[in-house]
Amino acid sequence: MLQLVFRILGPLDISAEGRPVALQGARQRTIMSMLLLRPGRVVSVDTLADAVWHGNPPATARNQIAICVSALRKTLKTAVGLDDLLVTSHPGYMLHTGEHRIDAVEFEERAAEGREAARRGRGDEARAHFEEALAMWRGPALAGVTAERVEAEAARLTELRLGVHEQLTAIRLEQGGHRELIGELTGFVREHPLREQALGQLMLAQYRSGRRAEALEAYRIGRRLLAEELGIDPGPALRELHDDILADSPRLTPADGSVTPAVAAAAVPAHLPPAPASFTGRATELASLDRLLEHQGGPSLPVGSIVGTGGVGKTALAVHWSHQVASRFPDGQLFADLRGYDEEAPRRPGAVLDRFLRALGVPGPQIPDEQAERTALFRSVLDGRRVLIVLDNARSFQQIRPLLPGTSGCCVLVTSRDNMGGALAGDYAFVPLHLASLGQDEAITLLSKVAGDDRFTADPVGANRLSELCDRLPLALRIAAARLAAKPHWTVRTLVARLEDQRRRLDELSLDSRGVRAGFRLSYRDLPADTARMFRLLGSLNITEFSAWSGAALLDIDPVDAEDLIEHLVDAQLLEPLSAGGGHVRYRFQDLLRLFARECAVAEDGEAELRAALRRACAVWLGLAKAAHRRIYGGDYTVVPGTAPVRELPDHLASDLLEDPMEWLEAERPSLTALIQQAARDDESGYAWDLTMSSVTLFQSRNYLEDWRESAEAALDAARRTGDRLGEAAMQQSLGTLEIIRWDHDSAYARLNLALHLFEELDQAQGRALVLRNLALCERHRGDLDGAVERGRLSLEIFREVGDHYAETHVLGMLAQIELERGNAQASLMLSSEAVAKSRGLGTVRAEAHSTVRLAEALLQSRDGARAEEACRRAMELVLGSGDRRGEAHVLRALGEALWCQDRLDEAESVLRGAVRTASEVPDTFLEARAAGVLGSVLMLRGDRAGAAGSLRAATELFTEVGSPVWRDRVERILVVLAEGEPVGSPQLFALVRP
């Protein structure tokens, strides 16, 4: 097998045994760059699309990405004979490098080896590694690939490169290479004037070379640039170097190789536990903790805080970092497990102080009994010393306060599940760090390290899924990997299958007292009763995200009180806050915590309380969904009234949430669909079908057709099980509407007739009218226009009787279209004009836009292109403002015809191409076919016979696909005219393409 070499430290370059492998086009280069930046990790299709289209991908992006990846696979297979380099793995693709090389990976490996050698005092070895790493660079990383996501990652690599350069320079300075470095550093600082470490290295090289004045001038220039560019002064290290140069401090003299005798070690504690062998990743977090070192010796004691949920790896991070920086604390390292979240009682500060003082050399008899006196002695002993103090598993600020020294030469690092920022910020040089789960690549690396074999490398898809099931939580990952290590005959998929069962997952990851469930219980056990109940009931819902008003519904309390309880859960690291939207913070569970919360709910609350909580939640979501529907439609129109009780939120809160009702529905879509499924499973039929019906506006306008089907079918099954005839009728009507949208008119006809029979049995007029309207659409599709008019007029009468004004305008527009197809242009014009007038009276955008397009259709039939264009322009304003993409496609198609009608063929072609594209993106196959047919006709008139033939054939295939023979025959007649080659006039062609 040939070996591929991928080079991204410069322009993208791929070669096989020295022969270049060429990629075709910017899209392929962008996609390959994204995959090379994350080798062995899944890059989602959404991320790739965002990179390729600069944050504005088209609706067809997924298909286009798939085409590009397929082309890349073909290119790579041709180069090396393998087609498994690019692996499809939900939700995207992964570059499986195997034995192939990536220069960026090798660069980071060499840099890490250099840092480790430097840490161990092996300067020559470190220098060799750093020089080898820097030699791999050929220019700016991925030069020429302009995607923002690629540029951001390239900037990270550039920052690493600059850091390695500075580390190499530091070693060369230590080795006495100050004279030869001056020229290099002068150019480097000129190129990167705000990098204080490089400026300091230049000053030191100049000083050691006897150029003291130049060193001071370099500082002056650097200080001025920092002030001008950033508005800040140089940092303490640079200021201290400047002062040392002014004072000719002996500390600036190069080392002469002599060894200073070691200080007696009797009073130098080294309490750190062993560094965890499987520690993985956390580069960003380690860099954040390094900020503590910047404050060492400053005006305030540096205190770092690592906060996170149980099992997220707080202790491992603290110990790993502490070992890395131990040399900065020559007077020792103190470590104490404060047992803040253990089965045992938390350790008393006085007992910890006793241990610390003895370790620092204080004889036992001299240690006072009083805690306050021990704290005073502890601070006195530490005065002038540089000691690192790690306080692990702290319960509260009160527990750690007596353990904080009074000198800034020391440094304190605290791990806890309690956020102590309110107590630490302001009085200390505080560096907070909230520790989240590992990234996907880090999680898989950890699994491989613990399991100790290649099962994860051999099955990257299974490895990805296993890490997801473990929430990428280090504790869960270690347990899962250890289980595989103990079961060499298991595959990764074996364990994945066991964890996929939500009822077993916590059991699989909680085999002893150190398991995941035990860690969660330690956080849960001390919650106040109301907070614990909130935790349980939130976990009982199958929703992924929620706001405070959701919790208020579950406990039947005020939303502000609910927010306080939820924030307590955030402080306890049992919930994660997400970004605020519209002023309302949203929260989410990690999956494992949600499973634990549900376990607690089943054990402590019982089925009756959980059923009541579900009803309360559904009542609030249903109330808001109905209110959103009313705002969009102008009333309780186009829906069958349900019987499930609703709960209204306070007016000010509901108005705030529903300021943009469609966006609220969009934001709550995952919760709405999850609640529908949960209500249906629990036989809460009334809530299931009413929530579905209230959400159809979103499902239809934003093209969430699978959500629509799954929700309606689940609600229909629940209605049948519970004997809810009204719900059964409503969902058959809803599914029949969906079948019409999907162009399956036979299925729609069958469902709608079932619904009609049920509504007639129940004497439900509104539901009967909705069904009759849709049956009219089916009759129209079948070509029975008289039958369509009969059913449409009957539905119109009922809608007028029940006062559904929105549905009335919709039927008027539908009848106008049918009359147009019957050849009654004047009747169509009258009906569509009436629909526009009534929709404007309703004040709803959707109704007015729909009616206005119907009016434009009638005007086109009368060859009044100017007025049709005016109507289309008005409709376009309405649909663009509401984000209705299907409506936009309708308007573009009608506008193209209006422009054609006025012989403005250039403009018509451009608009019609937009109509075809938009309809394909929605997707709406029938509408795409109509737009393609009109476009083909316009291209004929413009003399583009090849383009016309292609567009017309596409329209014929699409009409065949949706089962519309009438329209297919119409387009085929145009193709015959095109094939005959005889001149054809615009009016003749217009008559062929119109209904």
Side-chain angles (χ1 to χ4, degrees), residues 46 49 57 62 243 296 336 492 537 539 549 741 744 870 894 897 907 930 932 992:
D46 290 342
R62 302 185 74 86
D243 294 342
Q296 191 180 3
V492 175
L537 294 186
W549 55 266
I741 290 172
D744 188 349
E870 182 182 348
E897 293 187 20
E907 296 174 71
R930 282 209 56 190
L992 283 173

Side-chain angles (χ1 to χ4, degrees), residues 722-772:
T722 59
D724 184 349
R725 305 284 280 173
L726 180 60
E728 184 179 352
M731 290 299 94
Q732 289 285 19
Q733 184 274 330
S734 185
L735 286 165
T737 306
L738 175 59
E739 301 294 10
I740 290 173
I741 290 172
R742 298 173 68 96
W743 290 93
D744 188 349
H745 286 80
D746 291 340
S747 295
Y749 201 82
R751 286 190 182 277
L752 291 170
N753 276 306
L754 286 172
L756 183 62
H757 176 71
L758 289 167
F759 281 131
E760 287 174 342
E761 276 187 359
L762 297 166
D763 196 24
Q764 217 299 318
Q766 172 78 356
R768 182 166 168 256
L770 289 169
V771 172
L772 288 169

Side-chain angles (χ1 to χ4, degrees), residues 555-870:
L555 269 64
D556 198 16
I557 59 176
D558 182 83
V560 176
D561 294 332
E563 185 174 44
D564 288 342
L565 295 178
I566 289 173
E567 285 294 333
H568 289 165
L569 293 172
V570 171
D571 292 340
Q573 309 304 316
L574 294 172
L575 284 180
E576 294 181 352
L578 303 174
S579 58
H584 296 275
V585 181
R586 296 179 70 79
Y587 306 87
R588 79 173 185 92
F589 277 111
Q590 287 187 327
D591 281 349
L592 292 173
L593 273 166
R594 182 168 56 85
L595 294 177
F596 176 72
R598 185 174 300 170
E599 277 189 1
C600 294
V602 170
E604 299 180 41
D605 295 299
E607 183 178 348
E609 169 57 13
L610 296 182
R611 177 64 67 90
L614 174 61
R615 291 194 189 108
R616 291 194 295 269
C618 288
V620 168
W621 257 285
L622 181 58
L624 286 168
K626 284 179 173 290
H629 182 92
R630 282 194 295 273
R631 287 176 178 239
I632 294 168
Y633 286 86
D636 289 316
Y637 301 141
T638 74
V639 292
V640 178
T643 57
V646 301
R647 176 179 174 181
E648 305 289 345
L649 291 177
D651 289 343
H652 71 279
L653 178 55
S655 297
D656 191 18
L657 290 170
L658 299 177
E659 182 178 358
D660 186 332
M662 188 61 79
E663 289 310 310
W664 181 85
L665 286 167
E666 179 72 63
E668 294 298 328
R669 179 176 67 89
S671 296
L672 287 166
T673 54
L675 277 176
I676 289 166
Q677 295 291 335
Q678 187 171 1
R681 282 196 298 272
D682 287 358
D683 286 340
E684 294 291 342
S685 169
Y687 282 118
W689 73 258
D690 210 349
L691 279 167
T692 299
M693 181 154 282
S694 298
S695 303
V696 164
T697 302
L698 172 71
F699 296 154
Q700 183 172 358
S701 66
R702 298 289 171 89
N703 213 50
Y704 296 122
L705 302 188
E706 286 308 309
D707 283 351
W708 186 351
R709 178 179 298 282
E710 290 172 3
S711 297
E713 287 180 344
L716 176 61
D717 290 344
R720 285 170 170 165
R721 286 195 304 270
T722 59
D724 184 349
R725 305 284 280 173
L726 180 60
E728 184 179 352
M731 290 299 94
Q732 289 285 19
Q733 184 274 330
S734 185
L735 286 165
T737 306
L738 175 59
E739 301 294 10
I740 290 173
I741 290 172
R742 298 173 68 96
W743 290 93
D744 188 349
H745 286 80
D746 291 340
S747 295
Y749 201 82
R751 286 190 182 277
L752 291 170
N753 276 306
L754 286 172
L756 183 62
H757 176 71
L758 289 167
F759 281 131
E760 287 174 342
E761 276 187 359
L762 297 166
D763 196 24
Q764 217 299 318
Q766 172 78 356
R768 182 166 168 256
L770 289 169
V771 172
L772 288 169
R773 179 195 66 184
N774 286 351
L775 283 171
L777 291 172
C778 291
E779 299 290 8
R780 174 193 168 206
H781 177 75
R782 291 179 167 190
D784 183 1
L785 298 184
D786 292 339
V789 169
E790 180 183 351
R791 291 191 185 253
R793 291 196 178 279
L794 182 55
S795 72
L796 182 63
E797 291 175 13
I798 299 173
F799 283 133
R800 284 171 171 166
E801 289 174 5
V802 299
D804 191 333
H805 304 303
Y806 187 99
E808 180 185 352
T809 64
H810 185 271
V811 173
L812 285 168
M814 179 186 71
L815 289 171
Q817 182 65 31
I818 297 172
E819 292 295 352
L820 203 62
E821 294 169 10
R822 296 172 82 189
N824 298 329
Q826 190 59 35
S828 175
L829 187 60
M830 292 177 61
L831 286 164
S832 56
S833 297
E834 182 182 359
V836 171
K838 287 186 177 293
S839 64
R840 286 178 179 166
L842 284 174
T844 65
V845 169
R846 287 172 60 85
E848 185 179 351
H850 184 273
S851 302
T852 305
V853 173
R854 294 299 190 197
L855 175 61
E857 295 272 9
L859 291 167
L860 284 168
Q861 195 70 10
S862 302
R863 301 285 294 175
D864 190 345
R867 289 178 62 199
E869 180 187 357
E870 182 182 348

Side-chain angles (χ1 to χ4, degrees), residues 865-929:
R867 289 178 62 199
E869 180 187 357
E870 182 182 348
C872 288
R873 301 286 186 195
R874 170 60 183 159
M876 184 62 75
E877 292 177 9
L878 295 169
V879 296
L880 290 178
S882 64
D884 182 358
R885 293 282 285 164
R886 180 175 273 104
E888 182 183 345
H890 275 289
V891 175
L892 286 170
R893 194 267 310 156
L895 178 58
E897 293 187 20
L899 293 168
W900 171 14
C901 197
Q902 301 173 73
D903 292 324
R904 291 152 63 183
L905 297 183
D906 288 354
E907 296 174 71
E909 179 186 344
S910 176
V911 169
L912 288 167
R913 289 191 186 279
V916 172
R917 182 174 58 253
T918 305
S920 69
E921 291 171 353
V922 168
D924 188 319
T925 306
F926 179 81
L927 183 53
E928 183 183 355

Side-chain angles (χ1 to χ4, degrees), residues 372-438:
E373 293 181 12
R374 288 184 179 182
T375 296
L377 178 58
F378 178 60
R379 290 173 178 165
S380 298
V381 171
L382 289 180
D383 187 37
R385 292 192 182 187
R386 289 182 292 171
V387 174
L388 174 63
I389 302 164
V390 181
L391 303 175
D392 186 41
N393 199 13
R395 180 69 185 184
S396 64
F397 177 67
Q398 287 69 31
Q399 186 185 26
I400 70 166
R401 180 163 51 183
L403 306 175
L404 301 178
T407 174
S408 64
C410 294
C411 177
V412 179
L413 182 58
V414 183
T415 75
S416 179
R417 302 184 194 185
D418 179 55
N419 191 340
M420 304 180 192
L424 290 168
D427 292 334
Y428 303 92
F430 180 49
V431 176
L433 176 61
H434 186 278
L435 195 59
S437 296
L438 291 170

